[in-house]
Amino acid sequence: MTGNSPKRLLIRGVGPSLVKQGVSPVVADPMLRIYDRHQTVVATNNDWGTPLAAAEGQTVATAEQISAGGAEVGAFALNSASKDAAAIVTLSPGIYTVVLSDNTGVGGTALVEIYEMW
């Protein structure tokens, strides 16, 4: 990320909700991890509807906040009971890596989306 100030981002790892977009096969249970330049996990999510903190001090967005954030940036809605992954994070300028993995090990198509929020 560039600039001089932190940015608030919605980061989504979409698999199951791609089915309604006509995509298949999809990653059935994506896991989202966000790393800083020191390879430290700064945020993670597995199942956007039931977010849990990955690291001490991580602020976790609720499903309602993720839905509202998606609507704010014009993203398609995630299925309410899906195992898609999503997080809202505020990141300082720097280098980050987003990793989307498959908890099932089966594989398929998935989409990583990064939206700047206001």
Side-chain angles (χ1 to χ4, degrees):
M1 285 192 3
T2 60
N4 297 321
S5 59
K7 293 185 180 179
R8 188 168 179 240
L9 304 172
L10 168 63
I11 302 176
R12 304 191 323 170
V14 184
S17 289
L18 291 176
V19 171
K20 68 181 179 183
Q21 306 295 326
V23 178
S24 79
V26 298
V27 171
D29 188 7
M31 173 69 164
L32 182 69
R33 289 183 184 87
I34 304 158
Y35 295 86
D36 67 12
R37 67 184 182 99
H38 303 290
Q39 299 179 0
T40 301
V41 175
V42 295
T44 188
N45 181 263
N46 179 37
D47 303 343
W48 75 278
T50 54
L52 301 170
E56 187 175 323
Q58 177 186 346
T59 303
V60 178
T62 65
E64 292 79 18
Q65 291 168 322
I66 291 169
S67 289
E72 174 186 319
V73 300
F76 63 86
L78 299 177
N79 295 336
S80 62
S82 76
K83 292 188 169 281
D84 295 298
I88 295 175
V89 294
T90 301
L91 300 176
S92 297
I95 298 169
Y96 297 87
T97 302
V98 176
V99 175
L100 186 65
S101 58
D102 180 3
N103 283 326
T104 66
V106 175
T109 301
L111 175 65
V112 173
E113 302 173 311
I114 302 173
Y115 298 97
E116 185 174 354
M117 300 177 69
W118 296 272

